[in-house]
């Protein structure tokens, strides 16, 4: 993760691509997204979202759907003042602008990690064991976070969390607190990709 984050400090440019975005001190939310920046230019295109999902072991169909949905939803939001692009780029430096409603608020409006909100997830919803969430407890949390008539955000939150649960759960069928923390600090995707690569 550190090497990938550091590579964003380069000031070079890609031919035919938008200027490299310099991120000197990535927020936790930015680190979370950097995993998908395959060519380290500070921008995530749908093809990179797809490749990132595949590195995590997500199937081809779901990786395609995820790339379309994520880039389609976040491209305009993360490119303030710029026109529509059929390439659907996501600018990592502005990823905090893509924050949607009906979520946990563990990331604040600037993309920073909020410890109290993270602990609140388990204080409110980890009924079986304080150190993990079951599938049912995760569903309870999603319902509790729903804002009235915010249907698109409901769908986004559900999709994100169910995919996370599928990727990060233990074989016993629960999501550990430490795994979720790694998700928020940006290290989980690298751990999962490395683990998958080592099995090949």
């Amino acid at each position: 993760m550190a090497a990938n984050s550091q590579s964003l400090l380069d000031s070079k440019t890609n031919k035919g691509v938008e200027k490299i975005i310099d991120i000197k001190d990535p927020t936790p939310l930015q680190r979370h997204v950097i995993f998908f920046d395959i060519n380290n230019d500070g921008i995530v295109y749908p093809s990179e979202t797809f490749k990132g999902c595949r590195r995590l072991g997500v199937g081809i169909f779901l990786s395609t759907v995820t790339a379309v949905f994520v880039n389609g939803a976040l491209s305009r939001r993360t490119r303030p003042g710029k026109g529509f692009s059929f390439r659907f780029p996501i600018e990592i430096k502005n990823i905090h602008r893509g924050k949607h409603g009906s979520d946990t608020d563990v990331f604040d409006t600037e993309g920073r990690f909020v410890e109290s909100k993270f602990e609140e997830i388990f204080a409110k919803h980890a009924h079986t064991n304080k150190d993990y969430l079951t599938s049912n407890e995760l569903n309870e949390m999603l319902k509790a976070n729903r804002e009235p008539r915010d249907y698109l955000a409901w769908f986004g939150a559900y999709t994100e969390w169910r995919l996370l649960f599928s990727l990060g759960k233990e074989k016993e069928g629960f999501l550990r607190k430490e795994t979720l923390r790694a998700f928020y600090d940006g290290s989980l995707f690298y751990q999962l990709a490395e683990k998958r690569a080592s099995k090949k």
Side-chain angles (χ1 to χ4, degrees), residues 39 75 83 106 129 137-138 162 181 197:
N39 64 357
S75 181
V106 174
N129 185 300
E137 289 165 351
L138 176 61
R162 293 315 306 187
R181 185 179 291 277

Side-chain angles (χ1 to χ4, degrees), residues 82-170:
K82 297 181 181 179
F84 172 80
S85 172
F86 282 105
R87 300 185 71 188
F88 294 100
I90 295 172
E91 292 191 3
I92 296 176
K93 71 174 183 178
N94 295 320
I95 193 61
H96 61 282
R97 292 177 174 269
K99 189 174 181 295
H100 59 71
S102 299
D103 70 356
T104 61
D105 289 326
V106 174
F107 288 131
D108 67 11
T109 56
E110 297 301 317
R112 296 168 299 202
F113 179 79
V114 181
E115 179 70 31
S116 61
K117 289 293 184 180
F118 177 77
E119 293 295 338
E120 188 176 288
I121 292 174
F122 293 87
K124 286 186 174 181
H125 307 291
H127 308 300
T128 307
N129 185 300
K130 64 182 179 64
D131 290 323
Y132 63 71
L133 291 175
T134 65
S135 180
N136 288 337
E137 289 165 351
L138 176 61
N139 287 336
E140 174 191 290
M141 180 197 73
L142 289 169
K143 290 179 181 178
N145 289 336
R146 287 178 180 172
E147 297 173 7
R149 296 182 295 280
D150 191 15
Y151 304 117
L152 187 59
W154 292 7
F155 176 75
Y158 179 84
T159 303
E160 291 169 1
W161 277 95
R162 293 315 306 187
L163 182 57
L164 169 62
F165 191 86
S166 175
L167 293 171
K169 69 180 179 181
E170 301 295 317

Side-chain angles (χ1 to χ4, degrees), residues 55-57 190-200:
R55 285 176 63 197
L56 295 171
Y190 295 92
Q191 294 171 17
L192 293 174
E194 183 177 350
K195 183 178 180 181
R196 182 169 181 266
S198 68
K199 292 181 177 179
K200 289 184 177 180

